[in-house]
Amino acid sequence: MNAATEAAADAPTRPPGGSRLDRVPPRILSAAVGVAVLLLWELLARTVYAGSYRLSPPTAVVAEFFEFRGLYLRNLWHSTKTAAWGFLWGNLAAMALAVTATLVPWLRRSIGAVVLTIFCLPFIAVAPILRLITGPGNATPIALSALAVVFTTYVAALLGFDLAPGSALDVIRSYGRGRLVAFGTVRLRASVPALFAGLQIAAPAAFLGAVVGEFTGAHRGLGILTVRALGALQTDRIWVIAVLSTIVATGGYLAIGALGRYLCPWSPALDVGAVPVARVEPGLLNRLAGLLAPIAVVFVFWYAFLWVFGIEPFFAKTPIDVWAELFSEAEAAETRSLIFGALGTTLWTTSLGYVVGLAGALVTALVFILVPWLERALMPIAVALRSIPIIVTTPVIILFVGRGLLTTTAIVAVMSFFPTLVNCYTAMTRTPEGILDVLRSYDATSTANVRNAYLPTSVPALLASARIAVPTSLLGATVAEWLATGDGIGAVMVTAFTRNDFKILWVSVAVLTIVAVIGYWLVAAFELRTLERMAPGISR
Amino acid sequence: MDRRGAPVDVVGVGRTFALGDGEVVALRGFDMHVPAGGFTALIGPSGCGKSTALRLVAGLDAPDEGIIDMDGSSPDEMRRGQRIGVAFQDPSLLPWRTVSTNIRLALELVGRRHDSAAVDELVELVGLQEFGKARPSQLSGGMRQRVAIARSLVTNPDLLLLDEPFGALDALTRQQLNDELQRIWTARGTTTILVTHSIPEAVYVADEVLVMSPRPGRVVARHSIGFERPRTRELLLTDRFHAEVEAVSASLHRSEGQVVQLDTDPS
């Protein structure tokens, strides 16, 4: 008699009862929902939205694709190739950084700051700056695609290295061997499942980087095709591109997930989207060092970037130049009012969407927990939608919602909704069975279950998602503003871009990045405090 | 002594689980009778369905066949009437609540949120007066189990179900908690069913020890334990205690032997 059979015999079971829909096989339920969505989409497009240039019916999307399949496949292939190169370079860089951070612990915080800064960059405005170095070729989309994957892969690899069993590391040490041997024999091997979980998220992110890079000028690729179609109001074309992007990004996500499961069949599903933030050592000096060292490192990188690539001073702006533009130049007041006025608009629309997205996700996760058949019908769709980079489908949302202020809000809400939903729901399903049994043994109401079990267990995932959603929301907002709305700092940047005004472009990038980093750390600080207060000693 | 609580009658209960393409018969022909206010221990080899049996009595799972009756109520009715207290091997405390509020959880669930006196009484009963405001992460394993026991008792249930509550503890702590469990049971007189792996534990605390066969589990031997109460640790050293442990142990080995015969049976 082994533990496995015992566990099977004592498998948790629920008291009899529940909806009859709970017994429909999940595949059939999902397929039915998918067909229903397609039918509704077709119906709406043919009736309510007919001739509105907002919604293309699925049949028209398919017809459009086949009519111009040469054009689509050529550009799709181009963008996919770009994303693949970016995926390769970005992951190599992220791995190198993660290995360094693990082997040289005192560098960890500084490396983390650089990686976070990269994650917080407003990619859409970074593209024209990168183009100064790379010229008009394909290197800028590749570089952006690489930058887009660095953060997730770095976080995942680091998590993987840290997940190595401490007892195994002690065995290595007991034989008098050092960190390097421990890394080669234990940590590298132990990191594989987490690494694949990270690469899985990185695949759609690489595609996103490539397409965003193409938005700002490229000869080929889905990005530039989108910009042209938006200009010409070719609704069908925009929808085809969105569907193709979704298929390729989801395909990459699923393929890497399958590869990970094939290579590490023993490992449970890991979610690197909900890794809690690391704790800061107590003490004022530690805190100060923790704050200043990373800032210094980022500035060093900034100067190094300008120096290594030898950018002409007319285009290159150092941190001092940016400071001068904002505070000491003759036109500083004007620049300030332009940038911060626009930033105010962006922050307002973004935070509205951010809050709506997070709150909606939490409520939906709770509904899914309480109504299992609804979860089984809709969750596969949510998981698929989480895997796609929503930014790639921004043009579709622009078409559908229009070009007002609310477009930004809608895009940000959709972007933060899906990852948060999946993370929170997953956390809720991991509520210890024993706690649920205790609640069940008193015949607790749904409200009591939510309050005492599901809501508290989802708090870490909610906060981690909220933290990650800060930079991605700002990225989504700036892309929407750049492409469509004509409001906010995204619009300021696109105007500067078309006028070759690199001063404003640099200042905007710097200010946006700082805002994103600060936002990230504010949520991180709140996250740490909340987790400590909820359950001292439990958080990492 | 004031005996209270519900008698438990289990007759011919069976439970089968699906496992992959096949199925696992966890229980078949399981019978058990626990008088009102009685203390019964359920013992048997790993995977014999002890926990399954307890979950069926708790109304957390439903049998495929057979009857479970408690003073005219079904387990599900008992559960819905909030007349059951359970504690598992995993204390299953809410990590974000303190010792007191974890115990109060059960009161909140039965709609007696403001009964602070009951919470204080139970905190004292399990000897955690100084730790009322501590969180589970700050407690030792034994202390967490005491909280779980206190939580299962605070609502004054008619039936107390304990599934190896001390299984993960060291021998010394375990013995302490067995003493406490006996004291609490003597004071409260609640019908109690204890699932355990430890024969001495079962003999020490229970009125009756039921020995189960390997899967599919059923009761193959009953041992009435007649030691007077309160039982003390001196009892552990006596020959009559050892003789009782030996007897239960022999039943357990016989029950395991039965399955060897069943397994080698060509049919």
Side-chain angles (χ1 to χ4, degrees):
Chain A
M1 193 79 47
N2 59 35
T5 53
E6 182 172 12
D10 293 342
T13 40
R14 283 155 201 276
S19 167
R20 211 183 319 162
L21 279 162
D22 286 342
R23 286 195 283 276
V24 180
R27 271 165 207 274
I28 293 177
L29 210 54
S30 304
V33 170
V35 170
V37 167
L38 279 179
L39 282 178
L40 187 69
W41 179 358
E42 181 84 28
L43 192 72
L44 282 177
R46 296 261 174 225
T47 55
V48 182
Y49 291 101
S52 70
Y53 294 99
R54 287 186 176 188
L55 193 60
S56 291
T59 46
V61 171
V62 173
E64 162 78 16
F65 171 74
F66 278 105
E67 193 178 343
F68 299 100
R69 59 181 174 279
L71 173 81
Y72 287 119
L73 290 178
R74 209 164 48 240
N75 285 291
L76 178 66
W77 173 237
H78 186 79
S79 295
T80 309
K81 226 165 42 183
T82 304
W85 279 113
F87 184 75
L88 177 72
W89 291 118
N91 285 324
L92 284 179
M95 280 298 287
L97 288 171
V99 171
T100 313
T102 306
L103 292 179
V104 193
W106 58 271
L107 275 180
R108 184 180 264 219
R109 182 171 276 153
S110 298
I111 293 175
V114 172
V115 170
L116 175 65
T117 309
I118 290 174
F119 184 53
C120 289
L121 287 174
F123 286 157
I124 187 105
V126 170
I129 292 173
L130 282 178
R131 215 168 273 288
L132 288 175
I133 307 162
T134 63
N138 202 26
T140 292
I142 291 181
L144 274 190
S145 171
L147 289 177
V149 307
V150 166
F151 182 78
T152 34
T153 304
Y154 173 81
V155 170
L158 214 54
L159 173 74
F161 295 148
D162 289 347
L163 280 181
S167 51
L169 295 175
D170 285 342
V171 169
I172 306 278
R173 277 184 35 186
S174 74
Y175 287 107
R177 307 306 294 268
R179 256 181 222 155
L180 214 58
V181 175
F183 189 86
T185 49
V186 180
R187 288 194 192 273
L188 208 56
R189 191 77 181 81
S191 73
V192 175
L195 193 60
F196 266 95
L199 291 179
Q200 198 179 10
I201 301 179
F207 197 76
L208 155 105
V211 172
V212 170
E214 291 166 354
F215 277 161
T216 58
H219 296 310
R220 259 189 251 156
L222 290 181
I224 193 68
L225 201 63
T226 307
V227 172
R228 288 190 195 135
L230 263 178
L233 211 62
Q234 290 169 304
T235 315
D236 290 350
R237 178 150 296 179
I238 292 167
W239 278 96
V240 171
I241 297 170
V243 170
L244 287 179
S245 307
T246 304
I247 292 172
V248 170
T250 312
Y253 178 84
L254 293 178
I256 293 178
L259 187 63
R261 278 193 300 282
Y262 175 74
L263 291 177
C264 326
W266 69 87
S267 165
L270 276 172
D271 206 328
V272 294
V275 179
V277 68
R279 199 170 12 196
V280 189
E281 291 83 6
L284 189 65
L285 208 63
N286 270 327
R287 267 162 207 251
L288 218 58
L291 198 68
L292 294 182
I295 294 176
V297 171
V298 169
F299 278 96
V300 167
F301 262 74
W302 187 337
Y303 277 107
F305 170 77
L306 297 178
W307 181 72
V308 166
F309 292 104
I311 307 170
E312 284 178 53
F314 175 74
F315 298 117
K317 301 293 169 207
T318 64
I320 295 176
D321 294 337
V322 168
W323 178 268
E325 288 299 333
L326 275 176
F327 299 107
S328 59
E329 289 274 308
E331 297 159 8
E334 226 172 281
T335 311
R336 275 203 306 272
S337 82
L338 174 73
I339 300 273
F340 291 117
L343 184 66
T345 310
T346 302
L347 287 184
W348 163 237
T349 48
T350 306
S351 38
L352 189 63
Y354 175 82
V355 170
V356 168
L358 292 183
L362 186 63
V363 171
T364 310
L366 285 173
V367 169
F368 280 2
I369 279 285
L370 297 177
V371 190
W373 64 266
L374 206 60
E375 181 271 323
R376 296 190 328 152
L378 297 180
M379 200 59 177
I381 298 175
V383 171
L385 284 179
R386 177 186 76 150
S387 72
I388 65 163
I390 299 285
I391 292 178
V392 173
T393 62
T394 303
V396 166
I397 302 179
I398 291 169
L399 278 183
F400 194 71
V401 185
R403 287 176 180 252
L405 271 176
L406 275 181
T407 309
T408 316
T409 305
I411 285 169
V412 171
V414 171
M415 279 183 55
S416 43
F417 177 81
F418 286 105
T420 310
L421 167 62
V422 175
N423 290 341
C424 287
Y425 176 78
T426 310
M428 288 177 191
T429 58
R430 291 184 187 151
T431 304
E433 200 58 36
I435 289 180
L436 293 177
D437 271 346
V438 169
L439 291 164
R440 250 176 248 144
S441 73
Y442 292 106
D443 197 36
T445 58
S446 300
T447 325
N449 285 337
V450 166
R451 207 179 47 229
N452 291 303
Y454 295 122
L455 208 51
T457 46
S458 69
V459 165
L462 176 68
L463 292 175
S465 310
R467 173 166 45 88
I468 300 288
V470 171
T472 53
S473 293
L474 279 170
L475 178 60
T478 46
V479 169
E481 290 169 348
W482 181 291
L483 287 180
T485 68
D487 292 300
I489 198 152
V492 168
M493 292 191 297
V494 76
T495 312
F497 167 62
T498 50
R499 290 182 189 156
N500 266 331
D501 186 347
F502 278 88
K503 283 184 295 192
I504 295 293
L505 217 47
W506 276 96
V507 172
S508 310
V509 169
V511 167
L512 264 176
T513 308
I514 291 171
V515 166
V517 170
I518 291 176
Y520 181 96
W521 278 114
L522 282 181
V523 179
F526 179 70
E527 180 184 4
L528 265 182
R529 250 196 60 194
T530 309
L531 295 187
E532 269 303 303
R533 230 184 27 209
M534 266 180 76
I538 294 238
S539 66
R540 289 202 313 152
Chain B
M1 208 183 312
D2 171 33
R3 298 284 83 182
R4 48 183 293 281
V8 180
D9 281 294
V10 181
V11 183
V13 157
R15 180 76 176 101
T16 305
F17 293 101
L19 177 65
D21 293 332
E23 47 184 36
V24 175
V25 183
L27 295 172
R28 183 181 287 158
F30 180 83
D31 300 317
M32 173 170 79
H33 171 75
V34 185
F39 195 140
T40 294
L42 213 49
I43 199 161
S46 288
C48 73
K50 303 185 290 281
S51 296
T52 303
L54 204 73
R55 292 177 61 85
L56 292 176
V57 176
L60 295 173
D61 188 14
D64 297 319
E65 55 189 44
I67 297 164
I68 304 175
D69 176 85
M70 291 171 242
D71 220 3
S73 302
S74 72
D76 207 44
E77 284 162 352
M78 290 285 283
R79 186 178 67 87
R80 288 176 192 283
Q82 304 176 319
R83 295 167 64 189
I84 300 179
V86 293
F88 306 105
Q89 176 169 353
D90 179 324
S92 297
L93 305 177
L94 304 185
W96 47 89
R97 285 181 172 233
T98 63
V99 165
S100 292
T101 49
N102 257 299
I103 296 172
R104 173 169 307 161
L105 172 71
L107 288 177
E108 289 172 15
L109 293 174
V110 304
R112 283 167 49 201
R113 164 183 302 275
H114 300 294
D115 195 349
S116 298
V119 175
D120 294 343
E121 186 195 331
L122 257 303
V123 170
E124 199 167 324
L125 192 67
V126 296
L128 290 174
Q129 299 89 316
E130 286 156 35
F131 296 91
K133 289 201 162 44
R135 310 276 184 130
S137 59
Q138 297 163 317
L139 303 177
S140 69
M143 288 153 98
R144 281 181 220 163
Q145 273 315 345
R146 288 173 207 226
V147 179
I149 302 263
R151 180 180 61 193
S152 68
L153 283 165
V154 72
T155 56
N156 257 321
D158 292 330
L159 178 61
L160 183 60
L161 301 173
L162 307 172
D163 189 356
E164 292 199 55
F166 313 135
L169 304 180
D170 63 280
L172 195 67
T173 314
R174 203 170 172 145
Q175 184 55 46
Q176 276 173 2
L177 289 178
N178 281 336
D179 286 334
E180 267 175 48
L181 181 59
Q182 186 196 197
R183 186 168 55 75
I184 291 166
W185 175 78
T186 311
R188 299 223 160 191
T190 310
T191 311
T192 302
I193 303 176
L194 169 75
V195 162
T196 177
H197 264 116
S198 159
I199 300 172
E201 178 172 283
V203 172
Y204 186 73
V205 294
D207 293 334
E208 185 175 50
V209 177
L210 303 183
V211 178
M212 287 179 69
S213 69
R215 206 173 53 222
R218 61 196 172 83
V219 175
V220 288
R222 280 163 222 282
H223 294 261
S224 252
I225 312 294
F227 304 132
E228 66 285 1
R229 294 184 192 262
R231 298 171 187 170
T232 60
R233 292 188 196 184
E234 280 75 55
L235 177 67
L236 295 171
L237 305 171
T238 59
D239 288 340
R240 48 194 189 120
F241 183 78
H242 288 157
E244 205 65 74
V245 168
E246 283 302 317
V248 174
S249 183
S251 298
L252 193 57
H253 283 125
R254 268 200 302 280
S255 86
E256 284 180 327
Q258 280 176 354
V259 138
V260 175
Q261 285 169 358
L262 280 176
D263 280 352
T264 51
D265 193 332
S267 68

